[in-house]
Amino acid sequence: MFGEIISACRSLEVKLTVAYLGPPATHTHLACLEHFGSSIQSLPQESIQDVFEAVEKAKASYGMVPVENSTEGVVNRTLDVLIESEVKIFGEVLTRISHDLLSRSGRAEDVEKIYSHPQALEQCRKWLRKTFPRVPLVETVSTAKAAQLATDDPKTAAIANSFAAVSMALTSSNLKLKITSIIIHDS
């Protein structure tokens, strides 16, 4: 709550622009909102390189990129670009990643295909093998993109955060996703 108050006060002085990896509703976007508050101008970027370039070219005051995660380790592309760039590290955000299974029907028995980012698929590998052993898994560029794809077909689902379901509902009343299973990532 105090973070939001500070964010709102800062926005009265000057609009803070923060570039982040991915479309809205990715985990990086959530980390961005957690750290800077919702009164910022969010600037989604398609790649880690694009985030760094947005800061270097003064299109954004700050950038938010993933550095590591507990399952897969360091994000090598971030470290590679950091070495090449003049951009400096300002801070660190530790975010608990939580994956949910989202679908239009909200019923697991309707799921015939599951979309998600490779990292999320790996983080949910055991649960997927146990719960959906014969369902094809399709890799996407982000968990938010997976949620977007799941809105198109009632027989598909996405592994994403629950904010993605809310985000889809806010952008279109016809594209509602329901949480089919919560907290599905492996421990």
Side-chain angles (χ1 to χ4, degrees):
M1 171 136 166
F2 290 113
E4 282 300 318
I5 293 169
I6 292 169
S7 178
C9 290
R10 279 190 196 136
S11 73
L12 294 173
E13 295 173 12
V14 63
K15 194 67 171 175
L16 184 65
T17 302
V18 181
Y20 65 91
L21 174 64
T26 59
H27 292 291
T28 308
H29 182 215
L30 288 174
C32 184
L33 294 174
E34 178 184 326
H35 187 75
F36 292 102
S38 62
S39 295
I40 61 166
Q41 175 68 45
S42 298
L43 187 61
Q45 301 295 305
E46 290 186 15
S47 70
I48 290 169
Q49 179 75 41
D50 292 342
V51 173
F52 278 82
E53 287 177 7
V55 176
E56 288 170 345
K57 294 177 181 178
K59 293 179 183 174
S61 306
Y62 298 97
M64 180 72 69
V65 292
V67 175
E68 70 175 310
N69 71 62
S70 60
T71 306
E72 296 294 304
V74 297
V75 179
N76 289 317
R77 185 67 190 138
T78 299
L79 298 181
D80 291 344
V81 178
L82 184 60
I83 289 169
E84 300 165 3
S85 175
E86 295 296 316
V87 171
K88 304 292 182 222
I89 296 173
F90 173 75
E92 175 183 33
V93 179
L94 298 176
T95 303
R96 180 170 174 76
I97 303 298
S98 181
H99 297 299
D100 301 315
L101 187 69
L102 312 175
S103 68
R104 282 184 36 192
S105 72
R107 298 174 357 164
E109 58 270 17
D110 294 342
V111 176
E112 295 179 3
K113 185 188 301 182
I114 298 173
Y115 294 107
S116 199
H117 185 272
Q119 201 98 41
L121 291 170
E122 181 59 29
Q123 291 167 339
C124 301
R125 181 185 72 246
K126 291 177 189 171
W127 184 86
L128 287 165
R129 205 174 305 145
K130 178 183 172 194
T131 312
F132 293 99
R134 290 175 178 60
V135 172
L137 306 176
V138 180
E139 293 183 358
T140 60
V141 296
S142 69
T143 55
K145 179 65 175 176
Q148 203 172 35
L149 290 169
T151 62
D152 296 337
D153 183 350
K155 295 186 182 291
T156 64
I159 294 174
N161 58 61
S162 57
F163 182 66
V166 173
S167 179
M168 292 295 139
L170 293 175
T171 57
S172 172
S173 60
N174 298 333
L175 302 178
K176 293 191 175 168
L177 289 174
K178 298 176 183 168
I179 298 174
T180 307
S181 296
I182 60 168
I183 311 174
I184 63 171
H185 50 277
D186 304 332
S187 300

